[in-house]
């Protein structure tokens, strides 16, 4: 009996197991369908995103290609500009070699000075290579009432040595030599070109064609050169500061022209005042004559009135006399009859 029950239990368990297998199979088929759909959706999404990514990558690559091409073009332009700069550097080196002799450098400075004066002043306001009575010749003069001498021959040799010095000792040595050169040049300008007896002001300009040299003179460690120059009535100027001085000179010249015009206007007004005074005298004289004529006219008018009255009275007396005569005639005729 126990065996029968055991067999029945086994059969029941086998049936339950078969049912479970069928249920699991159905569930697995349903789950597989869902998984397939999910996988299809995922694959579709991935394909779409990969397509968008490919498009963006293509655009980025195209933009990067264009940018790279532009960079190559710019690099080519930079290369050309670099070559041009190298050529200019070679030209400047050749110019520096050409200007190394002091005479050539002085001529170049005079040319720069003349160009600056021509650009800032009218032709009548300056002159180049002005010669004094003693034969000294200054590079330029500016005419502002009197003459302002301008010298452009500045010593630069020791300044170049200062720049090229390899240590402090060499630099200090060349700074002292540069200071001596500048002092000697200031003394020469003060003694040769400041000549009030020949129409100059009591000062002169020392034109320095290089801004760096002017800075070294004004602010460097070469001693109190600027104060020494001012004591000698010599004023160092660079192209920039001299341009500012020339602007002030132009304004002063305009003020002088306005003052001259004002004097001319005042002289003209004085002439007008004299003419007006003469006209006033004539007008007063005419008024006096007119007053006298009016007085005489009034007197004559009064006399005319009196004469008219007398004439009227005389006429009335004559009319009365004539009337009386006419009235007596008939009686006389009757007496005669």
């Amino acid at each position: 009996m126990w065996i029968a029950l055991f067999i029945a239990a086994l059969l029941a368990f086998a049936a339950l197991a078969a049912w479970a297998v069928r249920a699991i199979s159905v569930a697995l088929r349903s789950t597989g369908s869902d998984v397939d759909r999910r996988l299809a959706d995922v694959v579709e999404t991935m394909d779409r995103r990969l397509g968008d990514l490919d498009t963006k990558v293509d655009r980025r690559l195209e933009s990067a290609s264009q940018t790279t091409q532009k960079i190559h073009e710019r690099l080519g332009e930079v290369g050309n500009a670099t070559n041009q700069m190298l050529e200019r550097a070679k030209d400047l080196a050749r110019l520096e070699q050409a200007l190394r002799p002091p005479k050539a450098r002085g001529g170049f400075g005079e040319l720069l000075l003349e160009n600056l004066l021509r650009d800032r002043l009218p032709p009548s306001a300056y002159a180049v290579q002005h010669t004094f009575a003693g034969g000294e010749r200054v590079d330029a003069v500016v005419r502002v009432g009197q003459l302002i001498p301008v010298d452009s021959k500045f010593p630069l040799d020791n300044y170049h040595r200062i720049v090229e010095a390899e240590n402090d000792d060499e630099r200090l040595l060349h700074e002292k030599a540069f200071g001596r050169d500048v002092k000697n040049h200031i003394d020469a300008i003060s003694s040769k070109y400041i000549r009030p007896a020949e129409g100059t002001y009591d000062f002169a300009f020392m034109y320095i064609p290089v801004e760096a040299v002017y800075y070294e003179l004004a602010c460097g460690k070469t001693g109190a050169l600027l104060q020494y120059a001012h004591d000698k009535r010599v004023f160092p100027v660079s192209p920039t500061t001299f341009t500012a001085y020339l602007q002030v000179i132009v304004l002063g010249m305009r003020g002088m022209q306005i003052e001259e015009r004002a004097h001319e206007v005042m002289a003209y007004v004085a002439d007008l005042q004299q003419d007006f005074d003469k006209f006033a005298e004539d007008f007063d004289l005419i008024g006096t004559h007119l007053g006298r004529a009016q007085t005489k006219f009034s007197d004559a008018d009064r006399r005319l009135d009196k004469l008219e009255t007398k004439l009227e009275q005389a006429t009335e007396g004559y009319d009365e006399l004539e009337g009386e005569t006419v009235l007596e005639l008939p009686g006389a005729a009757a007496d005669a009859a």
Side-chain angles (χ1 to χ4, degrees):
M1 181 175 181
W2 287 103
I3 296 171
L5 291 174
F6 179 75
I7 293 171
L10 286 175
L11 292 173
F13 178 77
L16 180 62
W19 178 84
V21 168
R22 287 195 300 270
I24 290 171
S25 177
V26 171
L28 286 175
R29 284 197 298 271
S30 177
T31 303
S33 299
D34 293 337
V35 170
D36 291 339
R37 286 195 301 272
R38 298 285 181 85
L39 287 175
D41 293 339
V42 170
V43 170
E44 183 180 359
T45 302
M46 291 296 294
D47 290 339
R48 185 172 62 254
R49 291 186 178 180
L50 287 174
D52 295 338
L53 182 61
D54 290 339
T55 303
K56 292 181 180 179
V57 169
D58 290 339
R59 285 200 298 267
R60 296 292 178 84
L61 288 175
E62 183 179 359
S63 177
S65 177
Q66 294 176 356
T67 303
T68 304
Q69 184 178 358
K70 291 181 180 180
I71 291 174
H72 284 300
E73 293 176 356
R74 295 294 177 83
L75 288 175
E77 294 176 358
V78 171
N80 293 331
T82 303
N83 293 331
Q84 292 178 1
M85 290 179 63
L86 292 175
E87 292 296 328
R88 297 293 182 273
K90 293 178 182 178
D91 294 339
L92 289 175
R94 287 193 291 269
L95 179 61
E96 183 180 2
Q97 291 294 330
L99 295 178
R100 189 170 293 276
K103 186 175 181 180
R105 189 168 59 244
F108 186 70
E110 293 174 6
L111 178 62
L112 294 178
L113 175 61
E114 183 178 357
N115 291 336
L116 183 59
L117 292 173
R118 184 175 61 249
D119 293 340
R120 297 294 176 180
L121 298 178
S124 60
Y126 72 95
V128 295
Q129 299 301 318
H130 177 77
T131 303
F132 293 102
E136 292 83 0
R137 180 176 296 177
V138 67
D139 297 321
V141 291
V142 179
R143 298 188 180 99
V144 190
Q146 294 177 269
L147 302 178
I148 303 176
V150 184
D151 180 85
S152 65
K153 296 183 290 292
F154 189 80
L156 292 174
D157 293 335
N158 282 309
Y159 175 78
H160 291 306
R161 295 188 181 98
I162 293 174
V163 175
E164 297 171 357
E166 297 180 356
N167 52 59
D168 293 339
D169 293 336
E170 289 185 6
R171 180 179 177 82
L172 181 61
L173 179 64
H174 297 316
E175 284 177 354
K176 291 181 179 180
F178 177 72
R180 287 193 300 269
D181 291 343
V182 175
K183 284 186 177 181
N184 292 334
H185 191 59
I186 292 171
D187 293 337
I189 294 174
S190 177
S191 61
K192 292 166 60 177
Y193 303 142
I194 300 179
R195 299 192 174 196
E198 297 187 29
T200 70
Y201 285 100
D202 63 343
F203 66 91
F205 285 138
M206 180 173 65
Y207 180 73
I208 304 173
V210 183
E211 296 287 345
V213 180
Y214 175 80
Y215 176 79
E216 180 68 25
L217 176 61
C219 307
K221 300 178 181 180
T222 54
L225 292 177
L226 187 62
Q227 185 60 45
Y228 183 81
H230 289 173
D231 294 339
K232 291 289 186 175
R233 306 296 295 169
V234 175
F235 298 108
V237 292
S238 67
T240 302
T241 58
F242 192 46
T243 300
Y245 276 114
L246 292 179
Q247 290 295 111
V248 174
I249 290 173
V250 169
L251 293 176
M253 293 175 63
R254 291 178 180 174
M256 293 173 62
Q257 291 177 353
I258 293 173
E259 185 178 359
E260 291 177 359
R261 294 293 178 85
H263 287 308
E264 293 176 0
V265 171
M266 293 301 296
Y268 183 69
V269 170
D271 293 338
L272 289 178
Q273 183 67 40
Q274 293 178 359
D275 295 338
F276 180 78
D277 293 340
K278 185 177 180 181
F279 173 76
E281 292 177 0
D282 295 339
F283 188 78
D284 292 339
L285 181 60
I286 293 173
T288 302
H289 291 319
L290 290 175
R292 292 176 181 176
Q294 184 178 5
T295 302
K296 295 294 183 181
F297 177 79
S298 299
D299 294 341
D301 187 55
R302 286 195 298 271
R303 290 178 183 178
L304 182 61
D305 290 340
K306 291 179 181 180
L307 180 59
E308 185 179 4
T309 301
K310 290 180 179 180
L311 288 174
E312 289 177 355
Q313 292 174 356
T315 303
E316 290 176 358
Y318 177 75
D319 290 340
E320 291 176 358
L321 180 62
E322 187 179 85
E324 292 176 356
T325 304
V326 171
L327 291 174
E328 292 177 353
L329 286 178
D335 292 340

